[in-house]
Amino acid sequence: MGHETNHADRNGGHTDNSLEKAGFRDRFTAEAARYTDLVPGRVTAQFKNLYRVITAGGEVAAEVSGKLRYQAGRISDFPAVGDFVMLDRETDREGHAMIHRILTRKSVFIRKAAGSGSEEQVVAANIDTVFICMSLNQDFNLRRMERYLSIAWDSGATPVIVLTKSDLCMNLPQKLAELETVALGVEVIVTSSMKEEGFQPVKAHLDKGKTIAFVGSSGVGKSTLINRLMGEERIKTREIRKDDKGRHATTHRELFLLPSGGVVIDTPGMRELGLEQADLSATFADINQLSEHCRFSDCSHTREPGCSVQEAIAEGRLAAER
């Protein structure tokens, strides 16, 4: 088993309130009460066909039951990091625990699975806030941010943009002005991992039982931020390449309980995102508002006469890239 055995000490030991600290309350406790022959847990990591799940008794190694595997019609029907699940036991001393049910997700961040056609992959489940991390170097990309925001709004969680490595940025006001054109109504936090106060704004979002997922390209500093919040080097970090392209420090999704309360989920870098499931209306609210004044209700905003969107582009009120 190696690193996939019982890891109860990773998140603070075998304490009865470990599951409560992991966000198990309210709607989840009510739904779990229906299954009197099973015990609840939350998925903290996945390794191929094995899962690590935190329970009231600590963390256990678990696998999906045959029935749940048979009923799963797609990848997103399997347990994912952040899922609350029902198991047959809360220890793995006599073998792997079996996951029999996934409790109803209150939110889910989904992307297109790499190389799978239209398959959906759950990046993180049951999250309250999505921290979209983008560094203020050559990784800064407004079009990618639009995609992240679209998927984040669709997830049911609240997106927050976290700009990292501000100490390397010589034109911060310009970058913030550019970001305002796509991040309508979204909070933006500027951080620097070089200074202690550089990540303090992130802490304001942490609350007991709340879950925050960190997403973004490789090398933007997600793992560094989480290590600062954990107060120790829990996640291995790697130096960025000379071309500003990130190296994959995180190779799998993993959930951590913070000493100060709250839950964070670290995810591997995602440079490309599919938009099979995304709420474009929130990200492009400005264009939606303009389109209400188009002459034709089915305007494609390309060549039609009386198009308010094209008019806004011509007048410089809207970027053509949008």
Side-chain angles (χ1 to χ4, degrees):
M1 276 288 294
H3 64 280
E4 295 163 1
T5 55
N6 194 320
H7 289 271
D9 59 333
R10 287 182 64 91
N11 285 321
H14 294 265
T15 56
D16 291 337
N17 62 350
S18 290
L19 199 50
E20 182 181 342
K21 288 180 180 178
F24 183 69
R25 53 188 183 186
D26 303 330
R27 57 176 288 176
F28 299 111
T29 55
E31 185 178 354
R34 304 175 194 168
Y35 310 108
T36 55
D37 57 334
L38 301 173
V39 296
R42 191 173 195 186
V43 178
T44 61
Q46 179 182 2
F47 307 93
K48 294 185 178 180
N49 295 324
L50 283 178
Y51 298 85
R52 201 167 62 227
V53 182
I54 189 169
T55 70
E59 281 193 334
V60 301
E63 56 185 291
V64 172
S65 70
K67 182 177 181 181
L68 182 56
R69 185 179 300 277
Y70 175 78
Q71 293 174 338
R74 51 188 180 178
I75 295 176
S76 55
D77 291 334
F78 283 87
V81 173
D83 266 327
F84 288 98
V85 296
M86 302 303 297
L87 311 99
D88 63 345
R89 72 195 85 165
E90 62 179 30
T91 71
D92 56 4
R93 287 190 290 270
E94 298 178 2
H96 297 159
M98 301 299 296
I99 300 173
H100 288 274
R101 291 186 178 274
I102 303 172
L103 298 184
T104 305
R105 294 163 174 161
K106 74 172 185 178
S107 62
V108 57
F109 190 99
I110 291 179
R111 66 170 293 196
K112 178 182 176 182
S116 63
S118 60
E119 276 280 15
E120 296 174 346
Q121 180 184 62
V122 177
V123 176
N126 301 313
I127 48 182
D128 297 288
T129 306
V130 179
F131 275 5
I132 304 172
C133 301
M134 182 173 284
S135 61
L136 289 160
N137 56 12
Q138 291 182 32
D139 175 72
F140 191 81
N141 185 305
L142 295 181
R143 304 286 80 82
R144 191 187 311 127
M145 179 57 71
E146 287 173 337
R147 291 180 173 86
Y148 270 116
L149 286 171
S150 297
I151 297 175
W153 281 121
D154 190 75
S155 72
T158 301
V160 172
I161 296 173
V162 179
L163 299 177
T164 63
K165 305 183 182 181
S166 62
D167 51 295
L168 303 177
C169 182
M170 298 296 104
N171 57 344
L172 181 58
Q174 179 185 333
K175 292 285 181 70
L176 291 176
E178 293 174 2
L179 195 58
E180 281 185 14
T181 65
V182 304
L184 305 174
V186 179
E187 180 182 355
V188 178
I189 296 175
V190 179
T191 70
S192 168
S193 60
M194 301 297 290
K195 299 179 181 179
E196 186 70 18
E197 65 272 17
F199 67 98
Q200 293 301 320
V202 173
K203 286 188 172 182
H205 287 270
L206 304 177
D207 197 10
K208 185 177 180 180
K210 298 293 184 181
T211 301
I212 296 176
F214 285 70
V215 301
S217 301
S218 300
V220 299
K222 301 186 300 292
S223 298
T224 298
L225 275 171
I226 293 176
N227 282 336
R228 287 295 188 93
L229 296 173
M230 293 291 294
E232 58 180 311
E233 198 77 9
R234 296 295 290 273
I235 308 171
K236 182 181 179 182
T237 58
R238 298 181 64 179
E239 291 295 323
I240 197 166
R241 286 165 24 185
K242 291 181 180 179
D243 59 0
D244 276 348
K245 297 292 181 64
R247 303 177 190 272
H248 289 275
T250 300
T251 57
H252 61 275
R253 288 166 287 281
E254 187 164 8
L255 181 150
F256 298 92
L257 303 186
L258 297 177
S260 58
V263 180
V264 295
I265 296 176
D266 188 25
T267 66
M270 294 178 288
R271 186 164 293 275
E272 300 300 327
L273 290 170
L275 285 174
E276 281 64 29
Q277 183 164 335
D279 184 355
L280 300 179
S281 63
T283 306
F284 296 95
D286 54 342
I287 296 179
N288 286 339
Q289 187 173 12
L290 286 169
S291 65
E292 292 177 0
H293 302 287
C294 290
R295 182 181 302 176
F296 303 106
S297 60
D298 59 347
C299 184
S300 67
H301 315 311
T302 53
R303 299 182 179 86
E304 293 88 346
C307 174
S308 294
V309 174
Q310 285 296 323
E311 180 181 320
I313 292 174
E315 295 176 356
R317 293 182 287 117
L318 178 70
E321 291 81 8
R322 295 276 289 161

